[in-house]
Amino acid sequence: MSFTSTDIIITTSNDVPGHRVVKVLGVALGITVRSRGLGGNLLASLRSLVGGEIKEYTEMSEQARIQAIQRMVEHAKSMGANAVIAFRLDSNEIGETMDEIIAYGTAVVVEPTA
């Protein structure tokens, strides 16, 4: 997976095709913790009785991932990076109603090889 967010390159690989790493700046992190509200839990519980996708949780998870990635990008930029390599997402459940999403990777400075 590789994509560009605003003016920073983000890739799951350890390099950026057509570029070379000229400086490694360190780990860039973005963390968010989201709570499932009472209304969302109630609707999700009702949906789980009939089966299928629980859209309330899907939307919450997607928003949390986007926010964590945005925070990682902000952190990488504050370090002087123009790319993040070895990008990963991780999630953990905190208690029964909260999810922690962590976006992380190696903040680097890259330049085109050609």
Side-chain angles (χ1 to χ4, degrees), residues 5-81:
S5 171
T6 60
D7 56 343
I8 194 163
I9 300 167
I10 303 171
T11 182
T12 58
S13 67
N14 292 328
D15 56 15
V16 178
H19 294 75
R20 68 183 181 96
V21 174
V22 294
K23 190 172 186 182
V24 175
L25 302 170
V27 176
L29 293 168
I31 302 170
T32 187
V33 176
R34 292 288 177 108
S35 173
R36 295 174 226 145
L38 182 60
N41 278 335
L42 182 59
L43 283 171
S45 296
L46 293 173
R47 284 189 201 270
S48 69
L49 294 174
V50 295
E53 180 180 13
I54 301 172
K55 294 180 183 180
E56 293 80 13
Y57 288 166
T58 301
E59 290 171 12
M60 182 192 73
S61 294
E62 183 61 25
Q63 290 171 357
R65 279 192 279 284
I66 290 168
Q67 186 175 49
I69 293 168
Q70 289 171 337
R71 288 179 178 177
M72 179 196 67
V73 166
E74 290 170 14
H75 185 212
K77 287 171 136 182
S78 75
M79 296 167 70

